Structures are given as structure tokens and as C-alpha cells.
Amino acid sequence: MERVTLRIPKQQIEEVERMVETGEFPNRSEAIRSAVREMINEQGDSRETTSGKRSWARV
């Protein structure tokens, strides 16, 4: 596994921390990996429908 450094708005990190605290994810890294997997799967689905919209790109 590779290490990646990224910048995320404080509000989003606080939401990730809440998910970790409630036990939805064991740690931040797993929460972010899950989000990336979901984004990749969604992108694959959108290629099939050729909509071209990226709902995950919202800021």
C-alpha cells in the first residue's frame, strides 16, 4: 500500500472523525479508502450510462 498526503477541509475531517468515533470505520484511513472505492465504483457505473456527471466531485 502507498502513502498519500492530501488536504481536506476541516469540516470533512470532522465528519470522518465522527464516523470513526461511532464505529462506522476503524480509523480515518479506512474511511477514506472506502470513499475512494465508492468513487471508483460510481465512476465505472457512470461510464456505463455515459452521463459524465461526477456526484463525488462536490466540494
Side-chain angles (χ1 to χ4, degrees):
M1 211 174 291
E2 283 192 47
R3 174 176 271 189
V4 176
T5 303
L6 59 137
R7 293 177 173 265
I8 299 175
K10 185 176 180 177
Q11 182 181 1
Q12 291 175 349
I13 287 296
E14 289 169 352
E15 289 295 323
V16 170
E17 285 294 329
R18 279 195 260 296
M19 289 187 268
V20 171
E21 289 169 5
T22 60
E24 190 171 341
F25 294 98
N27 53 53
R28 283 183 183 181
S29 292
E30 188 53 44
I32 293 168
R33 279 193 290 270
S34 177
V36 170
R37 280 191 299 269
E38 188 174 320
M39 178 192 66
I40 290 168
N41 290 337
E42 186 177 304
Q43 187 175 18
D45 292 345
S46 71
R47 284 183 183 156
E48 292 172 10
T49 62
T50 64
S51 69
K53 292 185 180 179
R54 293 182 178 161
S55 62
W56 51 265
R58 288 183 229 126
V59 178

